């Protein structure tokens, strides 16, 4: 409960900072929700999945601070979030490597469509970095969606897929607002979809069960009757 209150207090403080244009409050409060998720994640089952999700959250925390810092550090923030997506990709690959062609088509369509939209607005020197970023988020979304059809904890798979989709939505809104056409309420839509996405991804680790499905547990050999040397 304490972690939840801590995270909500940070989120509300950031929203107040945005509304009142208090840059110092935004800078101080923006990392709080992700820090709260990292603390909460310690309760999740230990293992490679939780470890990679934690690394992704730490990299996201770095990206938050770089983007919020009172200087033009957009490229560095972009790099931090690209690494965060790759960390989540590694987490998803720990559990399933099935091709999932439908998920691949959906993810590629989303990534390609977003990149085409941003490129139409003129990216200039950022064309290559944004292209790399689009590939990274597409791969992350693909592997998150691929987990839905694997023999995994259903709740964990749904949370990861929903979280990944919201993270992609948040990144897309940032790109549209920055490179295509600024829109009213962008700051609120971007940060809320981002936080909800990170919550879903972190919750997928908390919901994940380390138990082996019963269908995968080999049956014990039955004792032989009447055995003699």
């Amino acid at each position: 409960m304490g972690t939840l209150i801590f995270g909500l207090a940070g989120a509300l403080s950031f929203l107040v900072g945005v509304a009142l244009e208090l840059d110092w409050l935004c800078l101080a409060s923006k990392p709080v929700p992700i820090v709260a998720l990292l603390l909460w994640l310690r309760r999740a089952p230990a293992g490679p999945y939780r470890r990679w999700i934690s690394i992704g959250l730490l990299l996201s925390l770095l990206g938050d601070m770089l983007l919020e810092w009172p200087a033009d550090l957009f490229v560095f923030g972009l790099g931090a979030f690209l690494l965060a997506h790759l960390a989540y990709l590694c987490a998803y690959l720990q559990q399933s490597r099935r091709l999932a062609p439908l998920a691949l088509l959906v993810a590629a369509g989303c990534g390609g469509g977003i990149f085409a939209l941003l490129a139409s607005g003129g990216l200039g020197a950022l064309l290559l970095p944004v292209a790399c970023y689009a590939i990274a988020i597409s791969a992350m979304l693909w592997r998150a969606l691929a987990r839905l059809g694997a023999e995994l904890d259903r709740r964990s798979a749904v949370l990861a897929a929903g979280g990944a989709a919201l993270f992609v939505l948040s990144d897309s809104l940032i790109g549209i607002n920055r490179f295509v056409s600024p829109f009213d309420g962008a700051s609120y839509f971007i940060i809320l979809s981002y936080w909800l996405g990170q919550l879903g991804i972190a919750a997928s680790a908390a919901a994940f069960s380390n138990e082996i499905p019963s269908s995968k547990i080999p049956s014990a050999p039955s004792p032989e009757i009447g055995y003699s040397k």
Side-chain angles (χ1 to χ4, degrees):
M1 182 62 72
T3 302
L4 175 61
I5 294 173
F6 175 61
L8 286 175
L12 289 174
S13 297
F14 181 81
L15 293 175
V16 169
V18 171
L20 300 180
E21 299 183 354
L22 300 174
D23 293 340
W24 65 269
L25 183 57
C26 291
L27 181 62
S29 58
K30 191 172 186 180
V32 173
I34 301 301
V35 171
L37 286 178
L38 282 164
L39 294 173
W40 176 59
L41 198 59
R42 295 173 62 187
R43 304 178 186 178
Y49 188 80
R50 187 185 76 173
R51 181 166 60 251
W52 281 111
I53 296 298
S54 298
I55 292 172
L57 286 172
L58 285 169
L59 289 166
S60 297
L61 182 60
L62 175 61
D64 281 339
M65 298 310 297
L66 289 171
L67 292 181
E68 200 61 37
W69 199 258
D72 188 7
L73 300 176
F74 180 78
V75 174
F76 298 99
L78 190 72
F81 279 113
L82 185 148
L83 293 176
H85 286 304
L86 294 180
Y88 292 147
L89 172 64
C90 289
Y92 301 146
L93 287 172
Q94 292 293 318
Q95 298 180 333
S96 173
R97 299 195 178 189
R98 56 189 292 269
L99 179 60
L102 180 58
L104 175 58
L105 286 174
V106 171
C110 289
I114 293 167
F115 177 71
L117 178 62
L118 298 183
S120 68
L123 293 173
L126 289 175
L127 182 65
L128 183 58
V130 172
C132 293
Y133 194 85
I135 293 172
I137 62 172
S138 298
M140 186 274 294
L141 180 60
W142 169 35
R143 297 321 307 167
L145 295 175
R147 293 176 76 244
L148 289 171
E151 293 186 9
L152 299 170
D153 185 291
R154 179 67 179 174
R155 186 182 173 200
S156 173
V158 170
L159 286 168
L166 285 168
F167 204 158
V168 172
L169 172 62
S170 177
D171 284 343
S172 303
L173 294 176
I174 290 175
I176 292 169
N177 186 62
R178 184 180 178 94
F179 299 113
V180 182
S181 177
F183 58 94
D184 293 336
S187 298
Y188 300 103
F189 289 115
I190 289 168
I191 197 63
L192 290 175
S193 57
Y194 167 71
W195 281 334
L196 289 173
Q198 295 281 31
L199 175 60
I201 292 170
S204 74
F208 175 64
S209 172
N210 283 328
E211 295 179 2
I212 302 173
S214 58
S215 61
K216 298 294 184 182
I217 300 175
S219 57
S222 57
E224 295 185 15
I225 301 175
Y227 175 80
S228 60
K229 293 184 179 179

